[in-house]
Amino acid sequence: MHSLPLYLRLRAKSVILLGDGPVAQAKRILLERAGAQIVDEATAEDARIAIVALEDDAAAEAAVLRLQARGILVNVVDRPALCDFTLPAIVDRDPVLVA
């Protein structure tokens, strides 16, 4: 097994989201539905995870290095080799959640 599946409780937790395109917006909606507080990288003193949704490869890689140096776990959209964790496909049929 190369990864440990788990669920994170994000209600009222700070999560960094980098990017502003449609992919970043989809992640924003997902994080907000989970109750996360989306914060800016510069002001995120207590964030422990980050989602990087930047299209530019060099910018994404630079963001990963900055965030990991701060001890933050990082997911980079569509670049699994850069990820500390991945987000699965989700089927939400409240109260059942399949991921």
Side-chain angles (χ1 to χ4, degrees):
M1 183 167 66
H2 65 84
S3 295
L4 177 66
L6 56 98
Y7 288 86
L8 294 175
R9 293 184 184 185
L10 296 178
R11 183 151 314 279
K13 303 286 189 213
S14 295
V15 176
I16 297 168
L17 176 62
L18 300 180
D20 57 6
V23 174
Q25 183 60 27
K27 297 301 181 189
R28 176 178 295 279
I29 291 167
L30 185 64
L31 291 167
E32 288 174 346
R33 285 185 61 208
Q37 293 181 350
I38 309 300
V39 296
D40 182 77
E41 180 182 3
T43 61
E45 295 177 15
D46 61 340
R48 297 292 172 247
I49 68 167
I51 309 282
V52 176
L54 299 171
E55 291 184 27
D56 181 75
D57 288 335
E61 290 175 17
V64 169
L65 293 175
R66 283 193 316 272
L67 293 163
Q68 288 177 335
R70 294 172 51 190
I72 296 171
L73 296 175
V74 181
N75 170 273
V76 185
V77 176
D78 295 332
R79 294 176 183 97
L82 297 177
C83 295
D84 293 313
F85 67 95
T86 57
L87 298 173
I90 297 172
V91 177
D92 186 356
R93 302 290 185 263
D94 192 34
V96 176
L97 179 69
V98 178

